[in-house]
């Protein structure tokens, strides 16, 4: 227990035989339960989890469905167990548990319901991250701010997070992307319900882990996802309520796409109009977030799922 709150840790693991024991052994004593999710591993990851010898460890076996699917399985079990806060640590020992209190404290103090690590604060925090990876993360950060509506959040691909049971109960976990877009989609879905998200500076940690990401495919899939997610969020959060923010986002997208298709005729005006609309929508959304932060609700009420709107 940490500051009188039940804390769980979800550990997605796919073929992490070499590092899963090291990861499990690093979990602090104040963590009440550890959900080690074997995402259809073909090695002996599951066996090492079972034989680890820590009574806090609960093995969840499932068919391979991607990191998002594994994390969601941990979240669902935590809800069943009435856990107050659920953190996510990768099974490859890439996330240092000594920073876990930095993610837990803002939620316990009522300043957020979802906290997310940020490795892009400065060069010291990015230590060990390649220039190519840093560039990709900065680009995704800019795009994700617009797509998710969380302009205060950087390093969207960072999976080192903690979420409150309140936020989990508001989400439809079955609607969230299962693959590598999971982190982006979590922010998009959380934004629909105005869940307060805080970006927490945490240094990068790279050692023996091997990335399973195929970057060309990842870039293409993520790009298509971001376009779809912006339109989806704009529609469900703003357009259906006749809020002008969504109107600006959707028409901005239309003009930019139309402008690119018209490049052969050098019709840059469409792109300029689209960018201007995006700028107006972004400014309005930033102001909206500041107003929401200025008046935190005294009592939290569970939001309706999208099917109930």
């Amino acid at each position: 227990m940490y500051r009188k709150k039940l804390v769980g840790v979800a550990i997605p693991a796919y073929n992490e035989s070499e590092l899963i024991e090291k990861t499990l052994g690093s979990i602090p004593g104040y963590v009440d339960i550890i959900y080690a999710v074997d995402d259809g591993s073909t090695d002996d990851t599951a066996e090492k989890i079972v034989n680890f010898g820590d009574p806090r460890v609960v093995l969840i076996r499932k068919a391979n469905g991607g990191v998002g699917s594994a994390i969601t399985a941990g979240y669902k079990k935590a809800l069943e167990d009435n856990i107050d806060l659920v953190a996510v640590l990768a099974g490859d020992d890439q996330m240092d548990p000594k920073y876990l209190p930095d993610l837990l404290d803002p939620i316990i103090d009522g300043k957020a319901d979802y906290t997310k690590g940020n490795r892009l604060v400065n060069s010291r925090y990015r230590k060990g991250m390649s220039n190519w990876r840093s560039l990709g993360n900065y680009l995704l950060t800019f795009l994700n701010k617009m797509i998710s509506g969380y302009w205060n959040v950087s390093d969207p691909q960072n999976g080192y997070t903690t979420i409150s049971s309140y936020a989990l109960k508001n989400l439809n976990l079955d609607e969230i992307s299962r693959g590598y877009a999971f982190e982006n989609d979590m922010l998009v879905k959380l934004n629909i319900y105005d869940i307060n998200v805080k970006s927490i500076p945490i240094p990068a940690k790279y050692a023996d882990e091997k990335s399973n990401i195929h970057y060309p495919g990842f870039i293409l899939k993520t790009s298509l996802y971001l376009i779809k997610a912006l339109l989806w969020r704009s529609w469900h959060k703003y357009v259906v309520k006749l809020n002008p923010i969504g109107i600006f986002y959707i028409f901005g997208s239309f003009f930019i796409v139309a402008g690119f298709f018209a490049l052969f005729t050098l019709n840059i005006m469409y792109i300029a109009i689209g960018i201007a609309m995006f700028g107006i929508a972004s400014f309005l959304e930033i102001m909206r977030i500041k107003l929401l932060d200025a008046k935190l609700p005294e009592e939290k009420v569970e939001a309706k799922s999208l099917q109930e709107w």
Side-chain angles (χ1 to χ4, degrees), residues 92-104:
D92 57 8
D93 192 42
Q94 190 174 320
M95 299 165 184
D96 194 337
K98 78 177 182 181
Y99 294 102
L100 192 50
D102 294 350
L103 294 170
L104 296 170

Side-chain angles (χ1 to χ4, degrees), residues 132-149:
W132 171 252
R133 196 165 185 172
S134 295
L135 177 62
N137 276 309
Y138 275 117
L139 177 59
L140 280 172
T141 287
F142 173 74
L143 293 174
N144 196 78
K145 286 177 183 289
M146 184 185 305
I147 303 307
S148 71

Side-chain angles (χ1 to χ4, degrees), residues 106 111-118 120-121 141-142 144-156 187 190-191 194-201 282 285-290 292-293:
K111 297 177 181 178
D113 277 292
Y114 187 66
T115 51
K116 192 171 180 64
N118 176 13
L120 304 180
V121 177
T141 287
F142 173 74
N144 196 78
K145 286 177 183 289
M146 184 185 305
I147 303 307
S148 71
Y150 286 113
W151 289 87
N152 59 318
V153 175
S154 297
D155 196 9
L187 291 172
L190 288 167
N191 186 264
D194 287 325
I195 299 297
N196 199 333
V197 177
K198 295 295 182 188
S199 188
I200 309 296
S282 300
E285 193 153 45
I286 292 170
M287 292 299 102
R288 182 180 183 275
I289 292 171
K290 289 186 176 181
L292 288 175
D293 286 343

Side-chain angles (χ1 to χ4, degrees), residues 9-287:
V9 169
I11 300 178
Y14 174 70
N15 290 345
E16 296 293 356
S17 177
E18 293 183 13
L19 293 167
I20 190 62
E21 292 171 315
K22 185 177 180 181
T23 301
L24 293 172
S26 69
I27 306 300
Y30 57 77
V31 171
D32 298 280
I33 190 164
I34 303 167
Y35 301 106
V37 186
D38 176 42
D39 189 33
S41 297
T42 56
D43 61 9
D44 61 347
T45 296
E47 286 72 21
K48 288 190 174 181
I49 293 171
V50 169
N51 297 322
F52 185 69
D54 188 332
R56 299 176 298 167
V57 177
V58 174
L59 171 64
I60 301 174
R61 288 179 180 265
K62 58 181 295 300
N64 181 250
V67 64
S69 178
I71 294 171
T72 299
Y75 282 162
K76 288 181 177 180
K77 189 66 172 68
L79 283 174
E80 291 177 11
D81 295 338
N82 295 314
I83 300 300
D84 298 309
L85 305 168
V86 189
V88 175
L89 276 78
D92 57 8
D93 192 42
Q94 190 174 320
M95 299 165 184
D96 194 337
K98 78 177 182 181
Y99 294 102
L100 192 50
D102 294 350
L103 294 170
L104 296 170
D105 287 335
I107 298 178
I108 297 173
D109 292 336
K111 297 177 181 178
D113 277 292
Y114 187 66
T115 51
K116 192 171 180 64
N118 176 13
R119 302 161 296 182
L120 304 180
V121 177
N122 54 43
S123 58
R124 182 169 62 88
Y125 276 65
R126 296 192 308 274
K127 187 176 181 181
M129 186 184 294
S130 67
N131 291 334
W132 171 252
R133 196 165 185 172
S134 295
L135 177 62
N137 276 309
Y138 275 117
L139 177 59
L140 280 172
T141 287
F142 173 74
L143 293 174
N144 196 78
K145 286 177 183 289
M146 184 185 305
I147 303 307
S148 71
Y150 286 113
W151 289 87
N152 59 318
V153 175
S154 297
D155 196 9
Q157 303 311 117
N158 195 327
Y160 198 177
T161 64
T162 296
I163 192 168
S164 70
S165 59
Y166 163 76
L168 281 177
K169 289 174 183 176
N170 277 302
L171 291 172
N172 183 337
L173 294 174
D174 293 324
E175 289 181 342
I176 300 172
S177 173
R178 295 293 194 248
Y180 284 107
F182 174 78
E183 298 299 338
N184 308 87
D185 208 39
M186 273 291 290
L187 291 172
V188 170
K189 298 301 193 296
L190 288 167
N191 186 264
I192 290 288
Y193 303 113
D194 287 325
I195 299 297
N196 199 333
V197 177
K198 295 295 182 188
S199 188
I200 309 296
I202 295 178
K205 181 185 179 186
Y206 298 110
D208 303 321
E209 75 284 350
K210 297 177 182 178
S211 174
N212 294 314
I213 299 176
H214 180 250
Y215 281 98
F218 169 75
I219 292 171
L220 176 61
K221 289 180 181 178
T222 301
S223 299
L224 293 174
Y225 160 77
L226 292 174
I227 296 170
K228 178 182 176 182
L230 174 63
L231 296 176
W232 185 90
R233 187 178 71 87
S234 299
W235 180 267
H236 285 285
K237 184 162 186 173
Y238 296 120
V239 175
V240 295
K241 301 175 185 177
L242 301 180
N243 188 307
I245 294 176
I247 305 297
F248 278 117
Y249 272 138
I250 287 181
F251 274 95
S253 301
F254 169 79
F255 276 106
I256 289 176
V257 171
F260 275 110
F261 275 111
L263 277 180
F264 290 109
T265 59
L266 299 178
N267 197 337
I268 307 300
M269 184 60 68
Y270 288 161
I271 297 176
I273 293 173
I275 291 174
M277 286 187 167
F278 265 98
I280 294 170
S282 300
F283 175 77
L284 292 174
E285 193 153 45
I286 292 170
M287 292 299 102

